[in-house]
Amino acid sequence: MAANNASFAAALFIGLSLLFAVTAEDPYRFYEWNVTYGDIYPLGVRQQGILINGQFPGPDIHSVTNDNIIINVFNSLDEPFLLSWNGVQQRRNSFVDGVYGTTCPIPPGQNYTYMLQMKDQIGSFYYFPSLAFHKAAGGFGGIRILSRPRIPVPFPDPAGDTTVLIGDWYKSNHTDLKAQLDNGKKLPLPDGILINGRSSGATLNVEQGKVYRLRISNVGLQDSLNFRIQNHKMKVVEVEGTHTLQTTFSSLDVHVGQSYSVLVTADQPPRDYYVVVSSRFTSNVLTTTGVLRYSNSAGAVSGPIPGGPTIQIDWSLNQARAIRTNLTASGPRPNPQGSYHYGMINTTRTIRLASSAGQVDGKQRYAVNSVSFKPADTPLKLADYFKIDGVYRTGSIQYQPTGGGIYLDTSVMQVDYRTFVEIVFENTEDIIQSYHLDGYSFWVVGMDGGQWSPNSRNEYNLRDAVARCTVQVYPSSWTAILIALDNVGMWNLRSEFWARQYLGQQFYLRVYTPSTSLRDEYPVPRNALLCGRASGRRTRPL
């Protein structure tokens, strides 16, 4: 096996080197990761964690717009494994998206080389394990995509650039949590909150008078979290690939699956200050602390831990509305972000998506438009490519809520390439929710309490709404997004509450064109793993 891996890696390197020499492509960055189990103690008790190169959390991916990222992943676990790249759009290439609807898992003891391109993107994102309930064991890390050197960024280079991964956590092993869900039960409330894999002791080091960029991602399983630093303000400058108006906050809500970049100025007397993360919209507020430490610190943290919002929806809603796009800043290309006038384009379809929870055959399930997703025996994208009938059917989920009871199906919704659609997330439940769409960035044009109606469009922000890939929906509320369907493929639209996703609150958006041109979509990668009914098929030549 090792010899085969070495041979493939050598051939890949030679092939990519030749390709680069001939076409002068964008730079390549190579990574080699070994995924293993290991003992971790994030809440003070021993657990089986998922480590990448022995690290929990895993290593960061540092890149620049349009870089080609080559990651050779060795699965040293005793079960299949798969990584997904939250927010990386995989332009024309949903085959490598890393969710089971698009990509075959890496079998135990084998490896797979992901070939990604950070095409026309900047910003802060993260990766995570998408199979089973692995996300509850680790295997996640930060992704940063820097702007190309000649494209201006709307703030000076910071003195430091730090990934801050926050999330709720359980003391139970991921296998026990998965077993509870498989047995038809709900999960209990989480036991604690982590900052960069630690429930206490996480430290951010700064020097007096300098400005630092923090890339904050909520990689947890279900809780919205509030982030704050004692006696310091935070200036939001980027949200999931969009430069924002530079709005200053004392604390920041980061909902599950979301990523923010903030600037923090070390402008206080030199000592240690609390970094605080606490849960939002929960009856039992979980809180954890770290430390912001000045290099010339004169003392340890002191005083009360700064309080934050708890169940106040209006506070969070007003903050979300205040985060808007900086129309004068460049994105990944040297032109203003506001040059694409999304608010002046007629929509071709309105899709309304309603969540629900209930029992199917005596077991807990969650659904979108009454359909609780049931994984197929073959990745849906491979079934498309190899024209394998019977794996799924389009139309298995409706464009509007049905109001009916929950049922199981492999739900796939078809939409046409190069159309412009409105999607409304409707939440009649009494919990906050969070949704993510792979392959895309969309404009969050409206959110409010109550029931959405066509008249709700009168309050849409059609000028400078923030573009992002993960959005919250408040209890008994709605959120509306607009999206240009310019990326052909099979894309996962899911709840970021991982138990809900696991038990069916997800589906696949099939962005379809009859064209077979490489300008619209790449063919299946030469090294793609094949499984299910795609086993034994041939991939393309290099």
Side-chain angles (χ1 to χ4, degrees):
M1 182 67 187
N4 291 338
N5 290 337
S7 297
F8 176 76
L12 178 66
F13 180 78
I14 292 170
L16 292 176
S17 299
L18 290 172
L19 187 64
F20 179 78
V22 172
T23 64
E25 277 197 274
D26 293 287
Y28 284 80
R29 298 174 187 258
F30 294 86
Y31 296 83
E32 188 164 294
W33 289 355
N34 186 29
V35 180
T36 61
Y37 285 128
D39 289 342
I40 58 174
Y41 300 81
L43 294 180
V45 298
R46 184 170 67 88
Q47 294 177 257
Q48 184 187 65
I50 293 179
L51 314 180
I52 298 180
N53 291 351
Q55 299 179 43
F56 169 75
D60 276 3
I61 294 175
H62 292 192
S63 62
V64 176
T65 300
N66 288 355
D67 276 359
N68 296 282
I69 307 298
I70 312 301
I71 308 174
N72 192 11
V73 178
F74 290 82
N75 178 14
S76 298
L77 308 182
D78 57 2
E79 57 184 325
F81 184 77
L82 199 55
L83 285 172
S84 190
W85 321 91
N86 213 70
V88 179
Q89 292 179 14
Q90 318 293 2
R91 303 297 300 180
R92 298 185 287 172
N93 195 13
S94 63
F95 293 103
V96 296
D97 196 36
V99 289
Y100 184 65
T102 64
T103 313
C104 289
I106 308 170
Q110 297 187 31
N111 73 303
Y112 176 67
T113 301
Y114 289 92
M115 291 179 277
L116 318 174
Q117 188 182 27
M118 308 314 196
K119 178 67 175 171
D120 289 337
Q121 284 193 264
I122 58 166
S124 309
F125 310 99
Y126 66 91
Y127 62 86
F128 69 97
S130 62
L131 286 187
F133 217 63
H134 289 159
K135 192 181 181 188
F140 43 71
I143 300 173
R144 66 183 65 172
I145 310 174
L146 301 179
S147 294
R148 288 173 287 185
R150 295 183 180 180
I151 298 181
V153 174
F155 49 86
D157 286 342
D161 192 335
T162 303
T163 295
V164 182
L165 304 178
I166 60 176
D168 50 17
W169 195 260
Y170 287 88
K171 292 180 179 178
S172 300
N173 283 341
H174 73 282
T175 50
D176 297 329
L177 298 174
K178 178 178 176 295
Q180 290 185 53
L181 296 173
D182 289 342
N183 289 330
K185 300 177 181 178
K186 297 180 180 180
L187 293 186
L189 296 176
D191 297 305
I193 296 171
L194 306 184
I195 304 174
N196 284 345
R198 307 180 68 172
S199 59
S200 63
T203 302
L204 305 175
N205 295 306
V206 298
E207 293 184 26
Q208 181 82 30
K210 294 186 177 180
V211 179
Y212 295 83
R213 181 175 185 170
L214 306 182
R215 298 174 186 264
I216 307 166
S217 294
N218 185 340
V219 298
L221 300 174
Q222 70 179 55
D223 282 337
S224 294
L225 300 175
N226 183 267
F227 182 92
R228 52 199 182 273
I229 302 175
Q230 183 183 26
N231 292 1
H232 289 73
K233 303 288 187 180
M234 296 176 291
K235 183 183 293 183
V236 176
V237 294
E238 177 257 326
V239 175
E240 295 164 16
T242 299
H243 290 306
T244 64
L245 294 178
Q246 296 181 14
T247 307
T248 300
F249 299 105
S250 298
S251 69
L252 181 67
D253 276 357
V254 187
H255 304 282
V256 186
Q258 292 186 341
S259 299
Y260 287 84
S261 278
V262 301
L263 298 182
V264 176
T265 303
D267 57 1
Q268 296 299 303
R271 62 178 181 86
D272 293 355
Y273 294 88
Y274 284 113
V275 176
V276 187
V277 182
S278 58
S279 61
R280 292 283 272 122
F281 315 110
T282 57
S283 55
N284 179 31
V285 178
L286 299 173
T287 301
T288 194
T289 61
V291 174
L292 181 79
R293 176 162 294 153
Y294 281 64
S295 59
N296 56 341
S297 174
V301 291
S302 61
I305 295 174
T310 54
I311 60 173
Q312 302 92 332
I313 294 175
D314 285 348
W315 186 94
S316 185
L317 178 61
N318 289 334
Q319 182 178 78
R321 288 171 172 165
I323 297 172
R324 295 176 290 151
T325 296
N326 182 346
L327 298 180
T328 63
S330 294
R333 302 184 191 90
N335 58 285
Q337 295 187 136
S339 61
Y340 187 93
H341 297 292
Y342 71 92
M344 300 176 65
I345 303 172
N346 292 327
T347 57
T348 55
R349 181 185 293 277
T350 294
I351 300 169
R352 293 170 47 219
L353 303 174
S355 67
S356 57
Q359 299 277 312
V360 177
D361 296 331
K363 293 185 176 182
Q364 182 65 44
R365 298 293 299 188
Y366 300 96
V368 179
N369 287 0
S370 300
V371 188
S372 186
F373 184 82
K374 178 179 67 174
D377 60 6
T378 304
L380 311 179
K381 187 60 196 170
L382 293 182
D384 254 7
Y385 183 79
F386 292 114
K387 296 180 172 53
I388 303 171
D389 294 331
V391 174
Y392 74 90
R393 59 187 179 86
T394 56
S396 48
I397 179 172
Q398 301 300 309
Y399 296 108
Q400 312 290 332
T402 67
I406 294 176
Y407 62 95
L408 304 182
D409 204 344
T410 303
S411 38
V412 175
M413 181 182 293
Q414 182 161 305
V415 287
D416 291 333
Y417 179 45
R418 290 182 175 165
T419 56
F420 193 77
V421 303
E422 172 187 43
I423 298 179
V424 181
F425 298 99
E426 300 179 355
N427 181 16
T428 59
E429 300 181 69
D430 61 359
I431 62 166
I432 189 169
Q433 306 214 35
S434 185
Y435 284 94
H436 174 87
L437 176 59
D438 284 351
Y440 281 94
S441 182
F442 47 72
W443 291 274
V444 184
V445 293
M447 53 177 65
D448 207 347
Q451 186 171 352
W452 180 88
S453 74
N455 290 332
S456 302
R457 296 183 180 120
N458 295 330
E459 61 185 79
Y460 282 5
N461 177 356
L462 298 180
R463 183 176 185 273
D464 60 357
V466 70
R468 63 187 315 164
C469 57
T470 309
V471 68
Q472 73 273 22
V473 192
Y474 294 99
S476 302
S477 300
W478 57 267
T479 294
I481 66 173
L482 297 178
I483 181 168
L485 296 172
D486 59 358
N487 195 12
V488 175
M490 187 76 71
W491 304 108
N492 189 222
L493 196 160
R494 61 177 176 267
S495 170
E496 287 284 22
F497 285 28
W498 216 240
R500 282 181 166 249
Q501 176 274 154
Y502 183 77
L503 293 181
Q505 195 172 324
Q506 60 168 309
F507 67 93
Y508 282 82
L509 199 66
R510 184 188 191 229
V511 181
Y512 174 75
T513 176
S515 167
T516 57
S517 170
L518 294 181
R519 292 175 298 178
D520 296 326
E521 186 176 27
Y522 296 136
V524 65
R526 173 181 175 270
N527 70 323
L529 298 173
L530 301 179
C531 56
R533 284 186 259 175
S535 297
R537 307 277 179 141
R538 291 181 177 272
T539 60
R540 63 185 175 89
L542 182 64

